[in-house]
C-alpha cells in the first residue's frame, strides 16, 4: 500500500457524513465514536472481505470490526484477530538496529562489507543507513517468486535469508548507493542478517527480547517457518481466473521465511498501536536514534524503517504492509498521542481510498 499516493484523495472523505449508530461489530473502550464503524464498513463495501481496526487518541480507544472471517461465511471477523502485517515488520527490524546503534554495537555509517563481507557486490559502498532508508541500490529479490495472480509459487518452502539476498544480487543495479530512494525488501532481509551477526542471535529472538516482551505484545509473533496464523483471524484470499471464471484462493497459509525480517510478523491492531505509541513516546530508542528514525533528509517518503505519511494536519509516521491477501495500515502522530492500526483482507474493488480516509480522520480530526 502506497500511503503517500492516496492520502490526498482520502482527505476529501473527512467532510462526508458518518452513520449515526454503532453496529454490533464495534467493540468500544472510551468514547466509541460511531464514525469509526461507518469508515470500517465503507472499507468492506469498497471490496474487502473483512476489516478490523483500533483507533487511539490519548487515553481513548475504539476497536471495531466489519465483514466476515471467511469469504461467504457467517462469522464476523474477530475484533481481536491476528493478521500478517507484511512490511510493517520493517519498523520492528529497524527499531532493533537503532537500539544496537544506541548501544554502540554498530554505527549507521558502517559498511555492509564490514559486517557481512562478500554478501553482495559493492558492499563496501553500502552503509547501514542506506539499508534502513532503501537507498542501497540493492534490487528487489522477490520479483520471480509469484505466479501471475500474485500467489507464491512455492508456498510452503523454507527460504534462508542468504538465498533471498543471492537472488537480488544476481540482478542488475538500478542506481549507486545513496543516489536515490528505491524501495526493496532485500534491504531489510540484509538487516536481519546484520542483527544476527552483531548479536549472535536471530533477528526474531532480538525482536522478542527487545520489543515484544518489554511492551507486553502478547498477540504478536515472529513465525519464522510456521505457515499458520495462530489464534483467531480472518482468512485472506486472492482472486484467480481459470477457464474464464474467477474463483477465490485462500492464501492464509504460507511459509513466511520468504518475507523474513522484511515482512513476516503476525500481530493485532492493539499490539501495533502499542508498539508505535511506545516508539514515538521514546520508550524504545535513545533520543539520538529516535531523531534519526524520523529524519528523512532529502528522501521525503521514508525515514529509517518508517514511511512518512503527509496528512492535512502534518506528517504521520508508521508503515503500510501488504502480503498475500492481507493489507495493513499502522501509523502514529509524531508525538505518539494518536494511532490507527487497520487490517484488511481486500479481494475485489479498491478499499485503499477508504482506508486512507480512515487514517486521515483518525489522526487529524
Amino acid at each position: 500500500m502506497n500511503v503517500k499516493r492516496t492520502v490526498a484523495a482520502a482527505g476529501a472523505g473527512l467532510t462526508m457524513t458518518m452513520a449515526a449508530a454503532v453496529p454490533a461489530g464495534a467493540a468500544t473502550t472510551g468514547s466509541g465514536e460511531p464514525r469509526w464503524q461507518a469508515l470500517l464498513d465503507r472499507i468492506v463495501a469498497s471490496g474487502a472481505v473483512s476489516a478490523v481496526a483500533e483507533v487511539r487518541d490519548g487515553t481513548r480507544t475504539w476497536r471495531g470490526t466489519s465483514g466476515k472471517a471467511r469469504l461467504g461465511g457467517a462469522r464476523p471477523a474477530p475484533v481481536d484477530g491476528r493478521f500478517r502485517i507484511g512490511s510493517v515488520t520493517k519498523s520492528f527490524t529497524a527499531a532493533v538496529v537503532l537500539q544496537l546503534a544506541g548501544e554502540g554495537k554498530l554505527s549507521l555509517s558502517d559498511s555492509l562489507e564490514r559486517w557481512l563481507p562478500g554478501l553482495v557486490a559493492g558492499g563496501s559502498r553500502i552503509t547501514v543507513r542506506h539499508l534502513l532508508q532503501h537507498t542501497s541500490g540493492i534490487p528487489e529479490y522477490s520479483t520471480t517468486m509469484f505466479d501471475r495472480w500474485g500467489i507464491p509459487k512455492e508456498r510452503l518452502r523454507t527460504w534462508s535469508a542468504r538465498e533471498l539476498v543471492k537472488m537480488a544480487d544476481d540482478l542488475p543495479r538500478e542506481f549507486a548507493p545513496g543516489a536515490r530512494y528505491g524501495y526493496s525488501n532485500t534491504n531489510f532481509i540484509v538487516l536481519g542478517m546484520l542483527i544476527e551477526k552483531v548479536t549472535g542471535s536471530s533477528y526474531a529472538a532480538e525482536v522478542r527480547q527487545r520489543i515484544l516482551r518489554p511492551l507486553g505484545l502478547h498477540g504478536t509473533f515472529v513465525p519464522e517457518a510456521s505457515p499458520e496464523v495462530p489464534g483467531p483471524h480472518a482468512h485472506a484470499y486472492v482472486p484467480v481466473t481459470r477457464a474464464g471464471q474467477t474463483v477465490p484462493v485462500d492464501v492464509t497459509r504460507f511459509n513466511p521465511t520468504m518475507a523474513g525480517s522484511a515482512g513476516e510478523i503476525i500481530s493485532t491492531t492493539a499490539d501495533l498501536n502499542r508498539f508505535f505509541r511506545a516508539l514515538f513516546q521514546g520508550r524504545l530508542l535513545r533520543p539520538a536514534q529516535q531523531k534519526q528514525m524520523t529524519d528523512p533528509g532529502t528522501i521525503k517518503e521514508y525515514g529509517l524503517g518508517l514511511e512518512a505519511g503527509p496528512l492535512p494536519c502534518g506528517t504521520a509516521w508508521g508503515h503500510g504492509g501488504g502480503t498475500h491477501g492481507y493489507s495493513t495500515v499502522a501509523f502514529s502522530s509524531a508525538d505518539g498521542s494518536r494511532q490507527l492500526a487497520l487490517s484488511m483482507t481486500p479481494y475485489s474493488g479498491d478499499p485503499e481510498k477508504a482506508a486512507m480516509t480512515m487514517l486521515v480522520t483518525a489522526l487529524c480530526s
Side-chain angles (χ1 to χ4, degrees):
M1 175 170 288
N2 188 317
V3 173
K4 190 172 185 179
R5 186 181 67 239
T6 55
V7 161
L14 283 170
T15 61
M16 301 178 73
T17 303
M18 303 302 176
V22 179
T28 306
T29 304
S31 61
E33 298 181 55
R35 57 181 171 169
W36 305 130
Q37 187 66 45
L39 287 165
L40 268 189
D41 291 342
R42 184 174 297 131
I43 290 169
V44 171
S46 299
V49 178
S50 69
V52 295
E54 183 186 86
V55 180
R56 296 188 66 174
D57 181 2
T59 59
R60 298 178 300 173
T61 302
W62 181 91
R63 192 177 305 143
T65 180
S66 185
K68 305 301 181 183
R70 291 179 182 266
L71 189 62
R75 185 168 57 89
V79 70
D80 58 348
R82 296 174 181 133
F83 50 88
R84 300 190 189 277
I85 69 173
S87 286
V88 185
T89 300
K90 293 178 174 66
S91 298
F92 288 78
T93 300
V96 172
V97 172
L98 289 166
Q99 285 181 346
L100 294 173
E103 295 162 9
K105 295 178 180 176
L106 59 81
S107 169
L108 301 189
S109 61
D110 286 347
S111 72
L112 177 56
E113 191 69 12
R114 172 181 175 180
W115 290 105
L116 296 165
L119 180 65
V120 300
S124 61
R125 296 184 294 125
I126 297 170
T127 67
V128 176
R129 182 184 293 277
H130 288 148
L131 296 168
L132 285 166
Q133 203 171 21
H134 296 293
T135 56
S136 71
I138 302 175
E140 172 63 43
Y141 69 85
S142 66
T143 53
T144 62
M145 299 179 76
F146 304 92
D147 64 20
R148 58 185 292 193
W149 296 287
I151 299 173
K153 295 175 182 176
E154 299 177 86
R155 286 173 62 182
L156 298 179
R157 173 175 171 175
T158 297
W159 296 86
S160 71
R162 193 167 291 272
E163 285 177 309
L164 301 178
V165 175
K166 177 63 167 59
M167 286 193 287
D169 199 37
D170 288 342
L171 299 172
R173 304 293 172 90
E174 294 185 359
F175 59 92
R180 64 177 177 85
Y181 169 83
Y183 191 93
S184 171
N185 286 292
T186 315
N187 290 312
F188 277 77
I189 298 296
V190 173
L191 287 168
M193 298 175 71
L194 173 68
I195 290 169
E196 183 169 356
K197 182 71 172 183
V198 173
T199 65
S201 59
S202 69
Y203 112 90
E206 293 297 316
V207 166
R208 294 184 189 109
Q209 177 184 334
R210 292 169 172 271
I211 299 176
L212 305 189
R213 290 172 188 159
L215 296 182
L217 305 185
H218 303 301
T220 303
F221 301 88
V222 188
E224 298 177 269
S226 172
E228 309 297 336
V229 178
H233 60 276
H235 283 241
Y237 301 89
V238 170
V240 172
T241 302
R242 295 181 178 136
Q245 183 178 8
T246 300
V247 296
V249 174
D250 190 323
V251 292
T252 307
R253 294 182 75 253
F254 75 94
N255 187 322
T257 56
M258 68 174 300
S261 49
E264 73 170 310
I265 288 179
I266 293 168
S267 191
T268 66
T269 57
D271 274 9
L272 288 182
N273 278 345
R274 192 173 297 122
F275 166 68
F276 281 112
R277 190 179 187 88
L279 181 64
F280 291 108
Q281 291 187 343
R283 293 171 54 196
L284 289 175
L285 300 178
R286 300 182 185 189
Q289 284 70 45
Q290 183 89 34
K291 182 179 179 181
Q292 291 180 82
M293 197 174 194
T294 54
D295 181 8
T298 60
I299 308 299
K300 299 304 181 186
E301 54 265 79
Y302 210 87
L304 303 182
L306 292 174
E307 287 182 318
L311 304 181
C313 57
T315 300
W317 291 96
H319 221 291
T323 177
H324 312 113
Y326 289 100
S327 184
T328 304
V329 178
F331 277 79
S332 174
S333 58
D335 64 358
S337 64
R338 289 185 170 199
Q339 291 83 37
L340 168 71
L342 164 67
S343 172
M344 305 169 284
T345 52
Y347 178 69
S348 62
D350 183 12
E352 187 173 296
K353 181 178 177 181
M356 292 304 100
T357 298
M358 189 167 193
L359 173 63
V360 175
T361 307
L363 298 189
C364 293
S365 64

